[in-house]
């Protein structure tokens, strides 16, 4: 059994774990990152695509934004499509900030490349199996790499292992409060070789359900359809997917293209509170989950890494634990704002299981309000561009 020591033991090489490791390195703090999957797998996994203004700035400021600035697509706003018409919400006009479309796996690739460039320890195909002694000053992570078992002794454990990792389980044993909501629907998502039909994202509310038109490059589109949570992919032959996308998005000419990736994602809201116990700190999806309608999950993961790295840097520099003790409280202010916005967007844009006609009319009324009122559109724009990384209120009441 191998045994090593580091300052911060990080579980998970998603956006949270990789950015945390990178920011700690910039502060001269050592870390080891354990990742259950292979490098090829995490670099190929298709997930989020929208970076808030603050998340794009964070990547840029920490020296990993060059490719994002070259290849990412800056969008001024989004389109809302409902009742047969399309309306533009111009975030730049409303808040001064836009968003950047850049695939999560591209962020992950850039952060892996930055770490490997200086030889930073990043162990792929290494599964954390247990975390012990978090109440004392010397926590340990036990892990398995192939047939080998290993132990990492550290000052602090950062659980960045997503919504199905052991971080949440270890935290749960410390009795946090868990707030949770399941939705009756999920998203069928495809990545397709077809040029985007629109220059910016389209969020569509239609009598047959929600649809979203997003993109990755000028040649590759990312498209989603609301489906029942327990839907079987077998019910969705390609022809049906394209027909339903054309109908819901109001894009009768949307060309079909080769489907490069397909999957159904159930939707959930979850917050574990607090996000820390002793020497264990939990980040990203391991601590909180949002339905993807607000495009907040990756942004929250990156912001948690930013906040924990800053608190750890203060602690290592001065011995002052105040910021570290306040990590969870500081995160939860942003997390609940993003949870609210994600639930709001989800309820606004999806048909409910009962197809309640009263709810349907309420949704249409609110959508119409968003397109008529600068105050309502401004609130949506403020949240979409900055709820997860820190709300930049246009006319702050503070
Ligand atoms: P991740 O990315 O899940 O990374 C966790 C990593 O931990 C590894 N792991 C372990 N490693 C070692 N030992 C163990 N025992 C381990 N258990 C797990 C896993 O293999 C994995 O590599 O978590 P992180 O870093 O917290 O990042 C969260 C984001 O991935 C997630 O919130 C977003 O993808 C959510 N999301 C979106 N977020 C946005 O900000 N904008 C979007 O536009 C957006 N769209 C989406 C989304 C998520 C979606 N799905 C598939 C759920 C669209 C979709 C369809
Ligand atoms: C995506 O591009 O994958 C995407 C965009 C916006 C969302 C969710 C996902 O709300």
């Amino acid at each position: 059994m191998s045994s090593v020591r580091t300052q911060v033991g990080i579980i998970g090489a998603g956006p949270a774990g990789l950015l945390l490791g990178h920011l700690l390195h910039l502060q001269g703090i050592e870390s080891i990152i354990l990742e259950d999957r292979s490098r090829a797998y995490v670099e190929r996994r298709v997930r989020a695509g929208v970076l808030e203004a603050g998340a794009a700035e964070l990547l840029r400021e920490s020296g990993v934004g060059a490719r994002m600035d070259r290849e990412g697509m800056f969008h001024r706003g989004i389109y809302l499509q409902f009742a047969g018409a399309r309306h533009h919400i111009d975030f730049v006009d409303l808040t001064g900030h836009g968003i950047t479309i850049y695939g999560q796996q591209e962020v992950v690739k850039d952060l892996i490349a930055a770490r490997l460039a200086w030889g930073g320890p990043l162990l792929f195909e290494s599964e954390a199996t247990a975390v012990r002694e978090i109440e004392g000053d010397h926590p340990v992570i036990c892990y398995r790499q192939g047939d080998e078992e290993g132990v990492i002794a550290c000052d602090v454990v950062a659980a960045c292992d997503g919504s199905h990792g052991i971080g949440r389980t270890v935290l749960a044993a410390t009795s946090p409060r868990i707030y949770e909501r399941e939705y009756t629907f999920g998203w069928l998502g495809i990545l397709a070789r077809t040029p985007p039909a629109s220059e910016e994202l389209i969020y569509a509310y239609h009598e047959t359900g929600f649809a979203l038109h997003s993109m990755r490059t000028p040649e590759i589109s990312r498209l989603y359809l609301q489906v029942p949570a327990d839907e079987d992919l077998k019910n969705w032959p390609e022809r049906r997917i394209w027909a339903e996308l054309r109908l819901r998005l109001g894009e009768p000419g949307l060309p079909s293209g080769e489907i490069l990736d397909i999957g159904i994602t159930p939707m959930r809201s979850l917050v574990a509170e607090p996000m820390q116990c002793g020497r264990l700190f939990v980040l990203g999806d391991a601590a909180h989950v949002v339905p993807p309608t607000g495009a907040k999950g990756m942004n929250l993961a990156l912001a948690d890494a930013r906040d924990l790295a800053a608190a750890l840097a203060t602690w290592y520099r001065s011995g002052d634990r105040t910021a570290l003790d306040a990590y969870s409280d500081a995160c939860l202010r942003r997390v609940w704002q993003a949870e609210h916005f994600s639930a709001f967007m989800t309820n606004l844009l999806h048909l409910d299981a009962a197809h309640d006609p009263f709810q349907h009319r309420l949704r249409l009324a609110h959508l119409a309000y968003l397109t008529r009122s600068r105050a309502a559109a401004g609130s949506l724009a403020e949240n979409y561009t900055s709820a997860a990384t820190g709300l930049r209120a246009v006319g702050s009441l503070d």
Side-chain angles (χ1 to χ4, degrees):
M1 164 157 347
S2 73
S3 179
V4 284
R5 226 208 91 72
T6 191
Q7 289 176 298
V8 181
I10 300 176
I11 310 173
L18 287 166
L19 183 65
L20 178 66
H22 179 67
L23 296 175
L24 291 176
H25 171 63
L26 295 180
Q27 299 279 350
I29 300 167
E30 283 173 19
S31 65
I32 296 177
I33 305 180
L34 291 173
E35 168 56 50
D36 189 18
R37 305 290 194 145
S38 67
R39 179 177 180 186
Y41 182 91
V42 298
E43 291 191 343
R44 263 204 312 265
R45 190 167 42 193
V46 181
R47 283 196 170 172
V50 176
L51 289 167
E52 290 188 353
E57 248 166 58
L58 177 60
L59 296 175
R60 206 172 283 129
E61 279 165 8
S62 56
V64 285
R67 197 164 68 92
M68 171 192 75
D69 279 333
R70 273 196 319 274
E71 298 176 17
M73 298 185 255
F74 179 80
H75 285 188
R76 288 186 65 91
I78 56 168
Y79 290 98
L80 292 178
Q81 166 95 22
F82 61 96
R86 191 171 294 172
H87 308 263
H88 191 238
I89 308 281
D90 190 325
F91 298 158
V92 175
D93 172 42
L94 291 159
T95 68
H97 304 289
I99 50 168
T100 301
I101 310 302
Y102 192 58
Q104 178 170 323
Q105 76 267 42
E106 307 306 325
V107 174
V108 162
K109 277 185 210 160
D110 295 344
L111 286 165
I112 290 175
R115 187 162 184 95
L116 297 183
W118 64 269
L122 169 48
L123 311 183
F124 287 104
E125 295 172 74
S126 301
E127 182 197 4
T129 51
V131 176
R132 300 198 209 287
E133 314 292 337
I134 57 169
E135 307 279 4
D137 291 344
H138 306 289
V140 294
I141 304 172
C142 306
Y143 71 97
R144 189 184 307 118
Q145 189 177 37
D147 297 333
E148 298 280 303
E149 307 263 333
V151 171
I152 300 174
C154 40
D155 300 329
V156 158
V157 175
C160 309
D161 50 351
S163 48
H164 304 292
I166 60 163
R168 172 104 47 82
T169 315
V170 177
L171 184 69
T174 70
S175 307
R177 179 98 192 255
I178 306 274
Y179 299 86
E180 199 169 4
R181 172 175 298 175
E182 302 271 341
Y183 297 86
T184 54
F185 40 80
W187 281 9
L188 186 164
I190 60 167
L191 187 72
R193 196 182 304 285
T194 187
S198 157
E199 74 287 5
E200 293 187 342
L201 272 54
I202 309 168
Y203 284 80
Y205 177 64
H206 188 267
E207 283 71 20
T208 63
F210 168 77
L212 170 62
H213 186 339
S214 182
M215 60 206 68
R216 289 294 177 269
T217 70
E219 294 81 37
I220 307 279
S221 298
R222 178 82 169 134
L223 299 139
Y224 298 97
L225 287 169
Q226 175 184 354
V227 295
D230 55 358
E231 184 66 306
D232 190 335
L233 258 185
K234 283 210 278 302
N235 296 330
W236 288 88
E238 290 193 17
R239 221 161 2 97
R240 180 175 179 208
I241 294 175
W242 290 107
E244 201 59 34
L245 284 168
R246 289 182 189 114
L247 177 71
R248 295 188 192 179
L249 293 167
E251 280 290 336
L254 182 72
S256 40
E258 181 194 355
I259 294 184
L260 307 168
D261 188 273
I262 184 164
I264 293 183
T265 315
M267 308 220 320
R268 205 149 65 111
S269 297
L270 182 144
V271 180
E273 190 174 332
M275 296 164 50
Q276 67 190 90
C277 180
R279 294 286 181 108
L280 172 73
F281 297 85
V282 185
L283 293 80
D285 276 16
H288 40 72
V289 179
V290 283
T293 330
K296 294 292 158 225
M298 168 170 60
N299 291 291
L300 283 173
L302 295 172
D304 290 355
R306 173 198 66 193
D307 289 359
L308 184 61
L312 284 169
T314 304
W315 181 54
Y316 275 114
R317 208 174 40 243
S318 66
D320 181 356
R321 258 199 81 118
T322 317
L324 210 44
D325 290 338
Y327 161 75
S328 175
D329 287 345
C331 290
L332 286 167
R333 277 191 288 277
R334 295 181 285 95
V335 167
W336 277 112
Q337 182 71 40
E339 288 283 350
H340 175 267
F341 179 66
S342 304
F344 160 76
M345 288 287 277
T346 302
N347 294 328
L348 176 69
L349 290 163
H350 291 76
L351 285 182
D352 53 291
H355 289 209
D356 179 349
F358 188 74
Q359 288 296 340
H360 173 63
R361 296 310 295 254
L362 290 181
R363 279 185 215 111
L364 289 174
H366 199 89
L367 283 162
Y369 178 48
L370 286 169
T371 63
R372 271 201 327 267
S373 157
R374 196 173 167 85
S379 167
L380 185 142
E382 218 168 75
N383 276 284
Y384 200 102
T385 56
S386 67
T389 50
L391 205 60
R392 300 150 183 245
V394 179
S396 174
L397 297 175
D398 284 347

